Amino acid sequence: MTRPTELHRRHLLRALPALYSRLHRGGDCGLGVWRPSASPLPQELYWGLLWHGGEQVCVSSCPEAPWTVENSQFLQTVGEVFYTKNRNFCLPGVPWNMTVITSLQQELCPSFLLPSAPALGRCFPWTNVTPPALPGITNGTTIEQGISGLIDSLNARDISVKIFEDFAQSWYWILVALGVALVLSLLFILLLRLVAGPLVLVLILGVLGVLAYAIYYCWEEYRVLRDKGASISQLGFTTNLSAYQSVQETWLAALIVLAVLEAILLLVLIFLRQRIRIAIALLKEASKAVGHMMSTMFYPLVTFVLLLICIAYWAMTTLYLATSGQPQYVLWASNVSSPGCENVPINTSCNPMDQPVNSSCPGLMCVFQGYSSTGLVQRSLFNLQIYGVLGLFWTLNWVLALGQCVLAGAFASFYWAFHKPQDIPTFPLFSAFIRTLRYHTGSLAFGALILTLVQIARAILEYIDHKLKGVQNPVARCIMCCFKCCLWCLEKFIKFLNRNAYIMIAIYGKNFCVSAKNAFMLLMRNIVRVVVLDKVTDLLLFFGKLLVVGGVGVLSFFFFSGRIQGLGKDFESPHLNYYWLPIMTSILGAYVIASGFFSVFGMCVDTLFLCFLEDLERNDGSLDRPYYMSKSLLKILDKNNEVPPGNKKRKK
């Protein structure tokens, strides 16, 4: 039988604070979501008492005085020691006639109580109380340490519960916010055919205005400091970088840099105005293509589902590999120094289906330790896991390549339709999807493999850098940074090359190497147009994301914070614990939606641009080789078609 002193020790170490509670408002007592009770409870407040092992008991009030089970009470019944003395701190269902020593051994009742005060629906021990006098136990564990552990556990559980409650009350409003983000993204893309030119002009003038104001501000700061005579010669060299703001040379240097940037931007606008007009016309054409093929805007959902399937398959495979060995079980006891545990072979193998060989040791259990690592398959697990990671990277990149090639095929069918929209296929996206799977799977896999090898090399380099961090000298760190920078640049270049290669594959159906070569040479022959279109597109899409995410964020803030009044009872904002949670969720969801829609639009722009360049090089506007571009592009280029698009009398 366990000694009384050991019972006190076990309860003190495992449940030092007797205990915290949750306010019971007429429902099932438990930590988590509270369910309403079928029958009403008394009007008095009930406190839930949580102690050793996470069990909770509902009590009418917190303990007000310290109390300890005495040695003479161990052989008495639970009813005599606890229930008749109004100490209802045992777990529910403990019989009255059970002996106290048995309830303590099975940890059904506490061996001591500490004076507590209700706070946040729980009973917290008083910080100025001393532990009760327990026979044979020194005061090595303080109340403050126990309370700090309680607060950590309390905060983690309370926050998780409140977060769940907030999402349960606001999920439908979050879906409304995501719907608003979807509508705004679609409207922005469709309206680009009308406002692309003025919008690009406003953005360019805005950049010029910001630079002009920055130049003016630097000049004012420089003039004030120059009149004061604040020079860098007086300051000297210092590691306090903020001190350089008070010298005139800093603002003079900033003034010169900003003036040079302003001049370069003005010269670019003057000399490249024709190419900017072409970029704007292509953006309008891309908006028109998206309007004719609205199904392309929702293709990212297909990509997302395929990515989830690949990740789930890899996770299941990894889990099966990690658990492929035989499970190993060993004997374990919570306190090996307890009476009866001296001769127990702790950490020796056991069978979980059998009873422990020494039942006199309290808490003796056969627990799971791990899986065996012996055998041919187990020795190859690491190699199999590496192969699985390589397969994950490869399949993910292939799915992304599939999406790019499918979208490129759909948008290319729009451009090369001589009579728009009559010659556009009925289901362009579905036709491009089937055509890509039937003819171009190998080319996409080859391009994805090249990108995967670079990404694996980057991952290995990051792993090595993490393992050797702190033991490298400055030269080694510099070399490692150079390697990481080179691999990052290589990955960006391969992504750019693959993207354009997939477009050429969708147009001509040639293999990856030939398509990548043709795309690269075509872009190099038109490098200025590429740079201008890329920057104009990036500027527009950045503004679009800012508009969508900012609009949804502002609306969510005013709604969930309750600042929008008079909407009616059906449109009231829910009462939340943390109103910023649905706001941040809405903003993040709006960013994901906008990124998905604008990625499709960006693919449309890139596809139409390559088709436009091919059209310029392959055709000359004659009857035999007429241009396929729109009339707006022909007008900008000052070119004419002998058989303009839309005319049915085309020479074969």
Side-chain angles (χ1 to χ4, degrees), residues 394 398 401 440-450 502:
W394 195 356
W398 183 87
H440 309 316
T441 302
S443 297
L444 301 183
F446 183 73
L449 177 61
I450 297 175
Y502 299 148

Side-chain angles (χ1 to χ4, degrees), residues 464-507:
I464 295 175
D465 183 50
H466 176 73
K467 286 297 183 181
L468 298 181
K469 187 172 294 184
V471 298
Q472 299 176 355
N473 56 38
V475 176
R477 294 289 302 168
C478 180
I479 295 175
M480 183 66 70
C481 289
C482 291
F483 276 120
K484 291 165 63 176
C485 181
C486 292
L487 285 178
W488 180 83
C489 294
L490 180 60
E491 181 181 356
K492 293 297 180 182
F493 173 75
I494 291 178
K495 285 183 177 180
F496 171 78
L497 186 63
N498 285 3
R499 181 184 180 91
N500 292 281
Y502 299 148
I503 296 175
M504 298 299 286
I505 290 174
I507 296 174

Side-chain angles (χ1 to χ4, degrees), residues 78 113 178 212 277 296 351 466 481 493 590 605 649:
V78 172
L113 296 174
L178 298 182
R277 293 177 61 196
T296 57
N351 188 350
H466 176 73
C481 289
F493 173 75
V605 173
K649 298 179 181 180

Side-chain angles (χ1 to χ4, degrees), residues 188 192 536-546 598 601-602:
F188 182 82
L192 278 180
V536 171
T537 305
D538 288 345
L539 188 63
L540 269 180
L541 296 186
F542 172 76
F543 179 78
K545 288 182 181 179
L546 190 64
F598 293 156
F601 183 77

